Amino acid sequence: MFKNLAARTGGLILALSLSLAPAAAADKLTVLLDWYVNPDHAPLIIAQEKGLFKAHDLDVELVAPADPAAPPRLVAAGQADVAVSYQPSLYLQVKEGLPLVRFGTLISTPLTALVALKDGPVKSLADLKGKTVGYSVAGLEDALLGTMLASAGLKPSDVTMINVNFALSPALVAGKVDAVIGAYRNFELTQIRLEGKEGVAFFPEEHGVPVFDELIYVTHKDKIADPRLKRFLAAVEEATIYILNHPEEAWGVFVKANPKLDDELNRTAWTDTLRRFAHAPAARDEGRYVRFGEFMKSHGLIDTVEPASVYTPALP
């Protein structure tokens, strides 16, 4: 009897000691966003707020940048683990010699578009001849517009380009330009409507531009074997499925974490963005990366198209 009591007592003490032992700390992971928090980042916010990162033993810090151009460079310099970036930008970063690779996708379709006013003079791409087009950043937007114009039998010289900085919608609504290139279809169309106008979008991928991933996750190429990355993508995938299955509940979680975004613009952007999230963030389409690399080269933006594995190696 005493022997059995001693055994049970010893087992109880062991169980108590295990329960009182400190839990192993979750692995830290710093993720730099491409811009201030908005519905484009929904899977990341939901994974954070629903405890999905913690469930995968990750302590994730999401950081909005002061300078949107900085995140990839900070990751390349080893000052952060992951950055949200853009597939087109990755080619330029690799050309520059930055040690970056894509390991996952956040938004798997283009968001950028050419936008005009519905009651304006541009009813088709052919109507752009002799018109003005506003832009924010030269280079890629020139290539996108040039290809779209070519699909309508026009040349870049047939339009006048005007740098409107990042005031795309205001410039269009105010009549300073006839169209804008680089507008996000999930935001600018709603902004225009809230200003009392209606916009019409022309999509690059329907006018000669290869399909590309709008937002991707990049890391330092030396970290591609880091086991945290697979767990990060697993958590993001779970969050994405939750958003798709429960969009209203997910919106509630999102705005509870970001109450300043609880307005018509962001609610509409939420709905317009849902179907564009990568359902399988870790999936790789090598052909897509080669095709867009060839597009970049054809427009003189890069000199060489590297093998797809240089841009998006497989996770081990």
Side-chain angles (χ1 to χ4, degrees):
M1 175 178 176
F2 291 106
K3 191 173 181 180
N4 290 338
L5 177 61
R8 287 199 296 270
T9 302
L12 178 60
I13 292 172
L14 176 61
L16 285 172
S17 66
L18 288 175
S19 67
L20 294 175
D27 293 330
K28 291 186 176 296
L29 194 74
T30 303
V31 179
L32 306 182
L33 305 181
D34 59 306
W35 199 247
Y36 56 83
V37 173
N38 63 74
D40 289 350
H41 307 127
L44 293 166
I45 303 302
I46 297 303
Q48 186 79 290
E49 296 301 314
K50 295 285 290 181
L52 300 177
F53 287 136
K54 288 183 179 179
H56 287 274
D57 199 27
L58 291 174
D59 178 7
V60 174
E61 181 184 12
L62 302 175
V63 182
D67 176 5
R73 296 184 179 281
L74 292 173
V75 169
Q79 297 180 36
D81 301 303
V82 174
V84 175
S85 191
Y86 310 82
Q87 181 182 339
S89 298
L90 180 60
Y91 300 89
L92 302 175
Q93 292 155 358
V94 170
K95 174 186 175 182
E96 190 180 341
L98 295 181
L100 295 172
V101 291
R102 171 261 179 210
F103 71 93
T105 300
L106 174 54
I107 292 182
S108 58
T109 73
L111 292 178
T112 190
L114 185 143
V115 174
L117 293 181
K118 203 167 188 178
D119 61 358
V122 179
K123 308 298 184 187
S124 68
L125 290 178
D127 294 332
L128 285 170
K129 186 170 184 177
K131 303 298 191 298
T132 56
V133 179
Y135 71 97
S136 297
V137 182
L140 176 64
E141 290 178 2
D142 292 332
L144 297 178
L145 180 60
T147 301
M148 295 176 75
L149 290 173
S151 74
L154 300 180
K155 305 182 296 297
S157 59
D158 288 324
V159 303
T160 299
M161 301 288 286
I162 298 177
N163 190 333
V164 297
N165 295 314
F166 290 98
L168 294 171
S169 296
L172 183 61
V173 171
K176 294 180 180 178
V177 293
D178 298 305
V180 291
I181 183 71
Y184 268 20
R185 63 192 74 171
N186 59 336
F187 274 94
E188 263 80 6
L189 290 174
T190 300
Q191 285 181 325
I192 292 169
R193 180 174 57 79
L194 293 175
E195 291 294 327
K197 298 281 188 177
E198 289 294 328
V200 58
F202 300 91
F203 305 132
E205 67 272 22
E206 295 180 357
H207 298 281
V209 177
V211 176
F212 58 92
D213 298 331
E214 188 69 50
L215 291 177
I216 59 175
Y217 302 111
V218 299
T219 190
H220 194 291
K221 66 179 184 180
D222 291 344
K223 288 187 176 180
I224 194 63
D226 190 325
R228 293 177 299 169
L229 300 183
K230 279 188 174 180
R231 283 149 46 202
F232 170 80
L233 292 178
V236 169
E237 181 173 331
E238 289 175 18
T240 302
I241 298 304
Y242 175 80
I243 292 168
L244 295 174
N245 288 342
H246 309 282
E248 286 300 318
E249 293 90 335
W251 168 252
V253 173
F254 181 82
V255 294
K256 184 178 180 180
N258 302 278
K260 291 183 179 179
L261 301 183
D262 191 3
D263 56 27
E264 185 176 354
L265 173 61
N266 285 286
R267 173 175 277 279
T268 305
W270 174 272
T271 301
D272 290 344
T273 309
L274 294 188
R275 63 186 181 275
R276 301 187 180 278
F277 291 126
H279 297 183
R284 297 166 65 239
D285 184 342
E286 293 191 353
R288 173 176 290 200
Y289 277 74
V290 171
R291 287 190 296 272
F292 202 80
E294 292 170 346
F295 170 80
M296 296 283 284
K297 183 182 177 183
S298 70
H299 287 274
L301 297 173
I302 60 175
D303 304 316
T304 304
V305 180
E306 302 290 348
S309 58
V310 172
Y311 303 115
T312 176
L315 289 173

